[in-house]
Amino acid sequence: MHYRFTKHYTLDEARALLPQVRQWLTQLQRSSRALKKVDAQIFQMRQNGEDLGGPRVCEWVRLGVECMERMAEFQRRQILVKDIERGLVDFPSLRGDREVFLCWEMDEDDIQFWHDLDAGYAGREAIEE
């Protein structure tokens, strides 16, 4: 059988990672919001014809690197970040021989839903244990 992902999480494995995933998402959200703010400031500077050197650009680069480092934590584990602000992630998993996602949102206490790879959030179904 050919699968899209090489790593598949059991429900227990995904649940065990939630504290770390929550921490990474919190850091990613913080860096992403700050990056958007600095990005808007740099955009305004460009609109005003100002020089784009200095600390603001250094901050923009630093925040971009922070975001990339956090995203790399997810990518290494093949966990998909679907929405940074909502804290929505998908863990590749198997239901029988079918590849699916275990779907979790940061405001949820536990992983309670799954969906087909192409179904997305709207296709979430409750996990029956």
Side-chain angles (χ1 to χ4, degrees):
M1 172 126 331
H2 176 71
Y3 293 118
R4 282 199 230 172
F5 296 90
T6 56
K7 171 67 180 159
H8 297 99
Y9 292 87
T10 65
L11 186 55
D12 288 341
E13 288 172 334
R15 283 176 170 159
L17 276 175
L18 287 183
Q20 186 64 59
V21 167
R22 189 180 297 276
Q23 182 181 352
W24 292 330
L25 281 170
T26 300
Q27 293 166 343
L28 182 58
Q29 288 171 338
R30 191 178 324 116
S31 297
S32 177
R33 287 181 194 129
L35 180 61
K36 286 177 187 173
K37 192 175 191 177
V38 173
D39 196 52
Q41 292 169 346
I42 288 174
F43 177 78
Q44 190 60 52
M45 289 170 67
R46 288 182 61 216
Q47 294 296 94
N48 296 338
E50 296 177 42
D51 183 25
L52 293 182
R56 198 158 334 255
V57 172
C58 291
E59 178 73 357
W60 182 80
V61 170
R62 185 187 66 74
L63 290 166
V65 169
E66 279 182 18
C67 288
M68 290 186 325
E69 286 173 346
R70 289 294 81 74
M71 288 300 293
E73 295 293 344
F74 291 100
Q75 290 170 340
R76 274 195 283 281
R77 292 162 181 83
Q78 296 186 37
I79 300 169
L80 279 66
V81 177
K82 295 299 199 157
D83 188 314
I84 293 171
E85 283 307 308
R86 286 174 53 192
L88 180 62
V89 298
D90 286 341
F91 296 85
S93 187
L94 295 173
R95 286 182 69 82
D97 63 353
R98 195 166 101 209
E99 202 170 31
V100 300
F101 287 125
L102 299 174
C103 183
W104 178 74
E105 200 166 354
M106 203 166 172
D107 66 353
E108 297 171 344
D109 293 329
D110 191 15
I111 299 171
Q112 303 168 30
F113 300 97
W114 69 275
H115 61 80
D116 285 318
L117 294 186
D118 300 320
Y121 187 85
R124 291 188 352 153
E125 296 185 38
I127 293 173
E128 298 171 15
E129 293 185 69

